[in-house]
Amino acid sequence: MPIGPARMPIMDHLGELRRRITIIVVAVIVGALVVYMATPTLIEMMIDQIRSAMRGGDLYVFSALGGFTIRFKVSLFFSVIVCSPIIIWQIMAFFLPALKPNERKWVVPTVGAMVALFFLGMIFCYFIIQPAAFGWLLDQTFEFAQSMADAEDYLNIYMLLEIGFGLAFQLPLVIFYLSIFHLVPYRTFRSQWRTVYVALMALSAVVTPDASPITMVLMFAVLIALYEAALAVARYIIIARDGKAALKWGREDYEQRDLDRL
């Protein structure tokens, strides 16, 4: 059986971590250099969803280095998106040796699900959240003044929203694995639903970079839907694999089951 990272000498452990991080950094930098030349087209695509809220459609740059800074940020943003399968795989591969043989079979489906959910979150944000968020924010200004669209400010908020929703859509996987591996008993998730909902509301406030209540409410609604969907799938798998009584199991019960089967 391969030696997991927890059993490696500390220098080997750090060396493996450094290797994985290096791969991620190199991939993102190369991707950013390739994407840089296409940034004007990509920026145009980004503001297309919020153009109606801007009531003018033009972005303004207020410094000599502003254009380069913005293009570099945008190229880095899209490079992270394009390289997300590589990033996710490197993270999962680092922890892979520490998993049990019956848990490793979940790694490839997990990577696929993480990538799909990340893109789904960003797509949802692009079509639903961006117009609503910028519409509400700019309406607060148009009530008493004209707004000049600072390109860096607008695009920073845009990219933070996209990344925030992409990461927030990973919630179902976290809940799913905590449940099916009995790290947190399924019954606990169900009995503590009020606490979980409050935590999701707080998370919605944290991961949304704007002050729009529209964004927070939409994020909260999506997180609840994803949470409930993840629990429904986890419940089905737990009952099919271990029986209905396993819904109450903790991690010790799960490991004892494996020992009883030996």
Side-chain angles (χ1 to χ4, degrees):
M1 180 183 298
I3 298 176
R7 298 179 182 177
M8 286 182 180
I10 184 64
M11 296 308 297
D12 290 346
H13 184 66
L14 293 176
E16 177 68 9
L17 179 61
R18 182 179 62 185
R19 187 176 74 86
R20 302 263 177 212
I21 292 176
T22 300
I23 292 172
I24 291 173
V25 170
V26 170
V28 170
I29 291 176
V30 170
L33 293 175
V34 172
V35 170
Y36 183 85
M37 297 305 297
T39 48
T41 301
L42 294 174
I43 291 172
E44 186 68 20
M45 180 192 73
M46 292 166 73
I47 66 170
D48 186 59
Q49 282 299 97
I50 62 174
R51 196 181 298 276
S52 60
M54 294 165 59
R55 300 187 185 180
D58 294 324
L59 295 176
Y60 296 88
V61 177
F62 297 98
S63 66
L65 289 175
F68 170 77
T69 302
I70 291 167
R71 291 185 66 174
F72 179 76
K73 285 182 178 180
V74 171
S75 63
L76 198 62
F77 169 71
F78 278 96
S79 179
V80 170
I81 295 173
V82 172
C83 295
S84 59
I86 296 174
I87 296 171
I88 292 171
W89 173 252
Q90 291 301 320
I91 294 171
M92 293 297 296
F94 177 72
F95 293 103
L96 178 61
L99 300 178
K100 296 179 180 180
N102 65 328
E103 294 172 341
R104 291 177 193 157
K105 66 181 180 181
W106 294 93
V107 171
V108 173
T110 298
V111 171
M114 290 178 72
V115 173
L117 286 169
F118 183 74
F119 280 100
L120 183 61
M122 297 191 71
I123 291 170
F124 176 83
C125 183
Y126 180 78
F127 287 105
I128 305 298
I129 301 300
Q130 299 287 5
F134 278 92
W136 187 88
L137 289 171
L138 294 176
D139 280 346
Q140 310 312 300
T141 299
F142 294 140
E143 292 291 332
F144 64 91
Q146 292 297 315
S147 174
M148 293 189 68
D150 181 345
E152 187 168 8
D153 179 49
Y154 276 49
L155 293 174
N156 281 345
I157 294 175
Y158 182 102
M159 290 185 286
L160 287 172
L161 281 172
E162 290 288 337
I163 294 295
F165 271 82
L167 294 177
F169 268 57
Q170 303 302 311
L171 175 69
L173 284 177
V174 176
I175 301 301
F176 176 76
Y177 283 116
L178 288 176
S179 298
I180 67 167
F181 293 141
H182 301 283
L183 296 170
V184 177
Y186 173 90
R187 182 179 62 177
T188 300
F189 281 119
R190 271 283 155 248
S191 62
Q192 299 296 324
W193 66 271
R194 294 178 182 84
T195 303
V196 173
Y197 279 22
V198 171
L200 292 180
M201 182 177 294
L203 178 63
S204 301
V206 170
V207 300
T208 50
D210 61 329
S212 167
I214 302 297
T215 308
M216 191 183 80
V217 169
L218 287 173
M219 170 71 88
F220 180 53
V222 169
L223 289 181
I224 289 177
L226 293 172
Y227 173 78
E228 294 294 340
L231 280 185
V233 175
R235 185 179 191 277
Y236 173 81
I237 291 178
I238 291 171
I239 292 176
R241 184 186 63 188
D242 302 315
K244 197 168 184 178
L247 296 175
K248 302 177 182 179
W249 285 3
R251 183 64 179 179
E252 291 182 359
D253 300 308
Y254 176 63
E255 293 178 344
Q256 185 60 46
R257 182 214 62 173
D258 289 341
L259 291 174
D260 291 341
R261 288 181 175 179
L262 294 178

